[in-house]
Amino acid sequence: MKAGRSFLTKNMRLPEHMPEWRLGPWLTRLLVAVGIVLCAMVVFTPFELYAQLGFAFTTFLAAYVINRFTTGRLATLILIGISIVTSLRYLYWRLTSTLGFETNVDALFGYGLLAAELYTILVLLLSYFQSAWPLKRKPVPLPDDVDLWPSVDIFIPTYNEPLDVVSQTALTALAHDWPAHRFNIYVLDDGNRPEFKAFCEQAGVGYITRDNNRHAKAGNINEALKVTNGEYVAIFDCDHVPTRSFLQIVMGWFLLDPKLAMLQTPHVFFSPDPLEQNLEVFKKVPNEGKLFYGLTQDGNDLWNATFFCGSCAVLRRSALLDVGGVAVESVTEDALTALKMNRKGYNTAYLAIPLAAGLATESLSRHVGQRIRWARGMAQIFRSHNPLIGKGLSLAQRLCYASAALHFFYGLPRLVFLTAPLAYLFFGAHVFNASALLIMAYAVPHIVHALLTNSRMQGKYRHTFWNEVYETVLAWYIMLPTLATLVSPNKARFNVTQKGGVIEQDYFDWELSRPYIALLSLNIIGFIVGFVSLVFYADSWALMWTLIMNLGWTLHNIVISSASLAVAGERKQIRQAPRVVSNLVATIQTQGGYRFACETTDFSQFGLGVRTTGQLPLRVGEQVWVSVFRNEEEAMFPARVVFVGDNKLGMQFDELSIAQQAELAKVTFARADTWALFWADGEKDSAWVAMKSIGHISLQGFKVLGREANQFVRSRFARLFASTTK
């Protein structure tokens, strides 16, 4: 690093697209000091209503011009600066001008809301720090001499997942473009199942098991480390299928940097998660995890603070053993392992290229269970391995890890925001000791600038307002586990997230939806109370504006709660395996020897769909041979027709041998470009479009609830009638 970098940036990696300003150490410090003083003057200067409105208008105009007519990272940094100043100005005003509560009820609700706001502003500032300048690391070429390529062990841990899920990952891993004598594949079966051992013997991959399940996935991997000897370990969850180019793309960095202990790649999912499935937004709206893998991890990489995410990553064996193997002290063993590596002085890295893809959780209950484990694990890390204290980390690394841990404490603040206006509408509690107009004059700039800045930074990975839906769906369920783990960090236990399976029919998850129904009902009642008060009892302008502000807030909460409720309406998923959308060159050969050119529309390990140039003389049930091409390479598979439509056919493979399954994986799942298309999919962020979309989903939530409530009442009356007529 060049002289003149501050203590904060001494651990920073310089991105290729970052200009290296040579201002000298003293000039740099002077400019930073002047900037801090100017920002402090803006933050701490008190304004009356009209002056604050003028300040808000000026910042809105500046932000609009910068966002609309400028490009580049510097413009983004300016928007971040404006957002930080307006947020800190709001916070200073809140702390100095709005806390003169007159009653205990006011104080109870007022300080509760203030605590939630302090949390959200802290998380906002940390997220800006993490994501302001993504590193955008590029692959490093390997030596031309393959004898210099290192040896790699590929671990596929499994516990209770079905064989067809695990076998697909193992067979796809066999397609790796890597010297055969320098990599080995091992299925780590914690379920100790004979059929898995038999499959591994037939497929030619290693099989490792143990006589206990201590420490779950972490213990499973640590046991495998004892009986294998590759220089590096690549870990894939048993539902994550890697491309054949995975090792060639990631391993160059390890040869370039001898201190690099771990390199993580994105988790991409080729099946919709419950929110995408139930809200019908798959590949239209970025899923919950895309922000983390698309932006946050890339930002962490700048500060040498990339987290290990348990799959789609490579670790240097010597470094892993140096920290005692995969961490067993937390149920998020992966993040803690990376933290230990960084504390030991090792580097971690992130390569934002999708090189593997897996199955998302199929149902809302599994999705919630997985997020509860993540929340518990990060609370464990914050409580027992707090990154803010202890040796070995730079200040930047501490902030990145703290941001990750604090993120999962959003449950209680989110519930506070969803119920805060009810304190006034139900109890007359004044949570702000200020007029409604002054509150809006300070709060609106804070909120709008945060939305605008995040939209510019995160637009490809998280659409406006969707974060509120994601958090509301989980808030109730992660609130209690995170708070309990803070008190008793050692009581959290690892739970395996099951993958694979079908949902045979549509149904409404009444049990999981109870918190959403309660929130929605309370806000609807509050809105009615507030509206009646506005119409019949608002005898002053001050009271009218206070009611309007709380009614607007409550209406927003109704929309978000109802949209979250819509997620509980599970949709039918009857395919044994999800299809991957892909246009591949293919041919169909009939039993009579006729051959027709076509292209695939989608594929899975059990079948594929094709598009033809005309109507083919084929019937449902007819046996055919399907060829799929990769460049000049052809792979042919027996299949039967299961669907015939206008220039479209659906086919299911006949029972394939292990060799044929491996060949199918090689020309489909293992293709280097398969997951890049998934990563690039999605519509551009627009606040207006997002608002309309969530509004539509909110109406869908009301319809789902009405339909299910009607069916519930009718079934109860039917039972009652049947019992009375006996």
Side-chain angles (χ1 to χ4, degrees):
M1 294 287 109
K2 298 291 183 183
R5 295 264 170 85
S6 71
F7 73 98
L8 189 64
T9 60
K10 66 181 180 180
N11 228 37
M12 185 201 297
R13 294 150 170 171
L14 190 66
E16 293 179 6
H17 58 292
M18 176 185 283
E20 194 166 359
W21 297 298
R22 296 178 175 86
L23 300 177
W26 292 107
L27 183 56
T28 299
R29 292 168 187 168
L30 177 62
L31 290 175
V32 170
V34 170
I36 291 175
V37 170
L38 291 175
C39 288
M41 291 174 62
V42 175
V43 169
F44 298 133
T45 300
F47 284 155
E48 296 300 328
L49 174 61
Y50 291 109
Q52 174 60 24
L53 289 174
F55 170 80
F57 175 79
T58 302
T59 59
F60 288 151
L61 181 61
Y64 173 79
V65 171
I66 292 169
N67 188 55
R68 181 70 174 82
F69 299 106
T70 63
T71 59
R73 186 57 52 179
L74 181 60
T76 301
L77 293 177
I78 294 173
L79 289 178
I80 290 174
I82 295 174
S83 177
I84 290 174
V85 167
T86 54
S87 293
L88 292 180
R89 180 172 174 75
Y90 168 74
L91 181 60
Y92 177 73
W93 174 77
R94 281 282 283 130
L95 293 172
T96 59
S97 304
T98 68
L99 302 182
F101 302 119
E102 297 180 357
T103 69
N104 291 334
V105 174
D106 291 353
L108 175 66
F109 289 112
Y111 283 119
L113 177 60
L114 177 64
E117 290 181 290
L118 287 170
Y119 167 83
T120 55
I121 290 176
L122 175 60
V123 171
L124 175 69
L125 298 179
L126 289 172
S127 71
Y128 283 160
F129 176 79
Q130 281 182 290
S131 307
W133 208 304
L135 184 63
K136 297 189 182 299
R137 184 187 296 268
K138 299 294 188 291
V140 170
L142 288 162
D144 293 334
D145 185 358
V146 296
D147 290 334
L148 299 177
W149 295 9
S151 58
V152 183
D153 291 330
I154 296 177
F155 288 173
I156 305 172
T158 177
Y159 172 60
N160 61 355
E161 299 84 358
L163 179 58
D164 55 31
V165 170
V166 181
S167 64
Q168 187 60 51
T169 301
L171 293 172
T172 308
L174 285 171
H176 265 105
D177 292 325
W178 201 256
H181 65 289
R182 291 189 176 276
F183 87 106
N184 294 288
I185 301 169
Y186 298 96
V187 172
L188 315 183
D189 182 20
D190 247 11
N192 201 3
R193 292 159 287 184
E195 66 273 21
F196 278 64
K197 183 178 181 181
F199 161 77
C200 291
E201 290 174 349
Q202 294 178 47
V205 303
Y207 178 80
I208 299 175
T209 189
R210 54 181 179 149
D211 59 3
N212 63 79
N213 298 122
R214 283 194 295 270
H215 304 305
K217 179 181 175 181
N220 194 7
I221 294 172
N222 289 338
E223 286 298 315
L225 289 172
K226 298 176 182 178
V227 295
T228 56
N229 55 17
E231 298 170 77
Y232 296 88
V233 175
I235 299 176
F236 297 97
D237 280 347
C238 65
D239 63 295
H240 272 117
V241 288
T243 64
R244 59 193 301 166
S245 60
F246 183 93
L247 293 177
Q248 282 199 14
I249 290 178
V250 305
M251 293 306 300
W253 275 105
F254 287 97
L255 300 185
L256 182 68
D257 181 3
K259 293 292 289 181
L260 181 60
M262 187 278 302
L263 189 146
Q264 180 69 54
T265 66
H267 288 192
V268 179
F269 299 99
F270 58 86
S271 65
D273 66 26
L275 284 84
E276 294 173 304
Q277 176 77 11
N278 299 341
L279 302 182
E280 298 181 296
V281 294
F282 184 46
K283 299 176 73 174
K284 298 177 183 176
V285 175
N287 65 30
E288 187 187 2
K290 196 167 184 179
L291 175 63
F292 178 74
Y293 290 108
L295 181 63
T296 304
Q297 278 281 61
D298 222 351
N300 289 338
D301 197 14
L302 181 75
W303 304 108
N304 192 18
T306 300
F307 309 149
F308 173 39
C309 301
S311 180
C312 310
V314 177
L315 299 94
R316 191 185 299 267
R317 181 186 291 266
S318 59
L320 185 56
L321 295 177
D322 189 32
V323 298
V326 178
V328 298
E329 306 95 313
S330 170
V331 294
T332 50
E333 74 294 328
D334 39 19
L336 182 54
T337 301
L339 177 60
K340 286 184 169 184
M341 288 176 166
N342 283 139
R343 283 196 189 277
K344 277 263 188 174
Y346 290 107
N347 297 329
T348 57
Y350 183 67
L351 194 60
I353 301 175
L355 299 170
L359 297 172
T361 49
E362 287 85 2
S363 66
L364 182 59
S365 59
R366 292 183 182 182
H367 185 82
V368 169
Q370 183 188 65
R371 268 45 177 189
I372 289 175
R373 175 170 65 84
W374 292 359
R376 279 176 173 158
M378 297 311 291
Q380 270 183 324
I381 291 174
F382 193 75
R383 174 71 165 78
S384 302
H385 306 271
N386 196 312
L388 295 176
I389 58 178
K391 299 179 180 179
L393 298 179
S394 68
L395 177 59
Q397 289 173 319
R398 295 179 193 277
L399 294 177
C400 289
Y401 278 104
S403 177
L406 287 171
H407 165 75
F408 284 97
F409 289 93
Y410 65 74
L412 182 56
R414 177 56 59 191
L415 292 174
V416 169
F417 291 131
L418 287 169
T419 56
L422 303 180
Y424 176 79
L425 297 174
F426 286 160
F427 307 107
H430 293 271
V431 295
F432 289 84
N433 185 23
S435 69
L437 290 177
L438 198 57
I439 293 169
M440 289 188 284
Y442 275 91
V444 170
H446 155 60
I447 295 170
V448 170
H449 282 296
L451 290 173
L452 177 65
T453 305
N454 279 320
S455 178
R456 183 182 178 101
M457 296 170 62
Q458 304 174 0
K460 289 173 58 179
Y461 316 108
R462 174 67 55 82
H463 286 181
T464 306
F465 305 120
W466 276 91
N467 188 60
E468 296 186 60
V469 177
Y470 295 146
E471 290 189 357
T472 301
V473 167
L474 298 169
W476 174 260
Y477 294 102
I478 72 167
M479 177 185 67
L480 295 179
T482 50
L483 297 178
T485 303
L486 275 182
V487 177
S488 302
N490 296 324
K491 289 187 177 181
R493 294 291 179 266
F494 189 95
N495 63 290
V496 176
T497 305
Q498 297 185 11
K499 299 290 182 67
V502 299
I503 299 176
E504 295 183 352
Q505 60 183 9
D506 293 350
Y507 71 94
F508 185 76
D509 196 325
W510 278 104
E511 183 175 355
L512 279 177
S513 66
R514 289 171 185 169
Y516 318 140
I517 295 174
L519 284 171
L520 180 61
S521 301
L522 286 172
N523 277 284
I524 290 174
I525 295 171
F527 188 86
I528 293 172
V529 170
F531 184 78
V532 171
S533 299
L534 179 65
V535 173
F536 296 104
Y537 302 106
D539 54 3
S540 68
W541 283 104
L543 179 57
M544 184 187 73
W545 280 111
T546 300
L547 285 167
I548 289 174
M549 181 184 70
N550 282 281
L551 283 172
W553 191 347
T554 304
L555 181 61
H556 166 271
N557 291 342
I558 289 172
V559 172
I560 297 299
S561 300
S562 180
S564 303
L565 181 65
V567 182
E570 298 278 15
R571 294 184 180 273
K572 180 168 61 177
Q573 168 55 37
I574 59 175
R575 274 183 170 160
Q576 189 175 357
R579 293 286 181 94
V580 179
V581 176
S582 184
N583 299 323
L584 307 176
V585 177
T587 62
I588 299 173
Q589 183 173 315
T590 67
Q591 294 291 330
Y594 295 100
R595 198 167 192 179
F596 304 95
C598 57
E599 68 173 4
T600 67
T601 55
D602 53 60
F603 64 80
S604 75
Q605 66 194 96
F606 300 113
L608 50 76
V610 299
R611 182 184 299 108
T612 61
T613 55
Q615 196 71 27
L616 301 186
L618 296 173
R619 302 182 305 277
V620 172
E622 188 169 346
Q623 299 291 320
V624 295
W625 285 88
V626 179
S627 292
V628 180
F629 293 84
R630 176 183 175 271
N631 298 327
E632 301 302 321
E633 180 182 356
E634 178 184 4
M636 183 177 288
F637 311 99
R640 61 185 177 86
V641 178
V642 294
F643 167 77
V644 177
D646 293 336
N647 300 336
K648 289 184 179 180
L649 296 173
M651 282 167 287
Q652 182 173 312
F653 297 122
D654 290 343
E655 188 169 343
L656 303 180
S657 67
I658 294 293
Q660 287 174 318
Q661 292 177 48
E663 190 68 18
L664 175 64
K666 192 174 182 181
V667 296
T668 53
F669 289 97
R671 296 172 68 97
D673 59 348
T674 299
W675 311 126
L677 299 176
F678 265 76
W679 188 253
D681 278 344
E683 298 176 1
K684 186 178 179 181
D685 181 33
S686 164
W688 176 244
V689 172
M691 191 184 302
K692 290 196 298 182
S693 175
I694 293 176
H696 173 75
I697 291 169
S698 176
L699 294 176
Q700 178 182 324
F702 278 107
K703 291 178 182 178
V704 169
L705 181 60
R707 183 185 68 237
E708 296 299 325
N710 179 55
Q711 292 180 357
F712 177 79
V713 171
R714 291 177 64 180
S715 65
R716 285 300 177 95
F717 271 111
R719 291 178 190 174
L720 180 63
F721 179 77
S723 63
T724 56
T725 55
K726 285 183 179 180

